[in-house]
Amino acid sequence: MAITPTRVIRYETRGRKAYITLNRPEVMNALNGEIVKALGEAISEFGDDDNLLVAIISGEGGRAFSAGMDLKERTQQDQGGPPASKTRRRGARAAFDELANCRKPLIAAIDGYCLAAGLEITINCDIRIATMQSLFGLPEARRSLIPGPGVQLSRHIAMGEALLILLTGGHVTAERMYQLGYIQRLVPDREALFKEADAIADEILQCAPLAVQALKRIIKVGHSLPVPVMEQMAEPIRGMIERTEDRQEGPRAFVEKRAAVWKMR
């Protein structure tokens, strides 16, 4: 499907990469109903396009990746009663489900504030890059709110560190998040951010797409499973890749000293 044109999300493609930009810089890319819906549509479009293999998600403006949910809209919806609140929650859940279930690699390019639901977007990405100036946090408890995907932070960093972030609601520097392993690359500025994101995406594109997607599935699903169960789950996926033409193309290209030509079959 083609996504609905919107002013709050920029969706661009170059080569086999998609660039998805949160575009409400005047409010630090706060997530209202419109932008959440558009984000879900953009991720769905990316997932359905066989020509696209990796996406880079970022925020416009340089002040924030996203400062989280739009609390002004949230207050208005709360005053509208339970039906309005349920509609908002369903819309947000649909967008985060698209992120969580995307079979292709997602790279978060973070510059500035990355808070609350903004941080939750990055939790559902596979690789995270941030500028030194970026700040992270899950301040929901300070507003008597409970995070959605934010409660999964302990799957990415030590439980005590996750609890420190969740229970205090304070800000954490990009350098600290890098030390904790949440951030995979730390760069000096916005120019370096996109250069690094593109470089990582280009390395992913050197790999066989079906193998990349299979690896993501195995790791995401199997992360919390005991090792024997993870191995059992992974075996049929390995078998599927073993039967593809691309599996034979990889070793053949190495022997013939040329770049592999992936057919995704």
Side-chain angles (χ1 to χ4, degrees):
M1 71 170 190
I3 66 172
T4 304
T6 173
R7 64 181 181 84
V8 295
I9 286 282
R10 281 208 318 274
Y11 181 84
E12 305 163 288
T13 62
R14 295 197 289 275
R16 309 204 78 175
K17 294 179 280 189
Y19 297 82
I20 300 170
T21 308
L22 308 176
N23 191 31
R24 297 185 75 208
E26 70 281 2
V27 288
M28 299 177 70
N29 300 316
L31 304 178
N32 63 2
E34 182 184 8
I35 196 171
V36 165
K37 181 176 183 293
L39 175 61
E41 290 177 348
I43 296 297
S44 178
E45 169 75 1
F46 164 65
D48 290 342
D49 190 332
D50 289 339
N51 188 54
L52 299 173
L53 299 177
V54 60
I56 298 170
I57 304 175
S58 64
E60 183 59 49
R63 292 178 61 210
F65 175 84
S66 172
M69 283 292 178
D70 189 327
L71 294 183
K72 289 184 179 179
E73 182 184 78
R74 176 70 182 267
T75 299
Q76 292 170 352
Q77 291 174 337
D78 286 345
Q79 292 170 349
S85 297
K86 287 181 180 179
T87 299
R88 176 195 57 77
R89 287 196 297 270
R90 282 197 297 269
R93 187 176 297 116
F96 282 107
D97 283 348
E98 288 288 350
L99 284 161
N101 296 326
C102 184
R103 71 184 192 280
K104 303 175 186 178
L106 301 173
I107 299 171
I110 303 159
D111 186 26
Y113 289 102
C114 182
L115 306 176
L119 189 149
E120 291 177 329
I121 290 174
T122 71
I123 280 179
N124 283 300
C125 291
D126 305 301
I127 298 166
R128 291 167 287 273
I129 310 162
T131 60
M132 287 290 296
Q133 69 164 346
S134 299
L135 289 171
F136 297 79
L138 289 165
E140 282 88 341
R142 296 193 180 193
R143 300 290 179 263
S144 192
L145 300 169
I146 301 296
V151 298
Q152 301 170 24
L153 187 61
S154 62
R155 290 177 177 264
H156 299 273
I157 63 176
M159 183 180 292
E161 297 291 349
L163 285 168
L164 180 63
I165 292 169
L166 284 156
L167 300 184
T168 64
H171 292 167
V172 184
T173 65
E175 184 174 9
R176 181 57 180 157
M177 293 298 270
Y178 178 70
Q179 292 169 351
L180 294 172
Y182 187 73
I183 300 301
Q184 282 69 62
R185 295 284 191 278
L186 196 58
V187 296
D189 53 38
R190 192 171 178 84
E191 181 180 355
L193 178 71
F194 291 107
K195 183 177 180 181
E196 183 69 16
D198 271 321
I200 292 173
D202 287 340
E203 286 198 69
I204 291 172
L205 291 177
Q206 293 181 39
C207 301
L210 294 179
V212 167
Q213 292 168 29
L215 279 168
K216 176 173 175 174
R217 181 181 173 191
I218 292 168
I219 294 166
K220 289 279 189 176
V221 175
H223 177 69
S224 60
L225 298 174
V227 171
V229 179
M230 183 180 183
E231 286 291 336
Q232 186 177 16
M233 181 271 295
E235 193 56 36
I237 301 175
R238 288 196 188 98
M240 178 190 69
I241 297 301
E242 184 68 25
R243 293 188 295 272
T244 63
E245 292 182 33
D246 283 352
R247 211 290 294 149
Q248 297 183 31
E249 167 65 5
R252 185 187 303 120
F254 176 81
V255 170
E256 296 174 1
K257 298 181 180 181
R258 59 174 175 80
V261 179
W262 308 121
K263 297 180 180 178
M264 295 182 67
R265 62 175 189 258

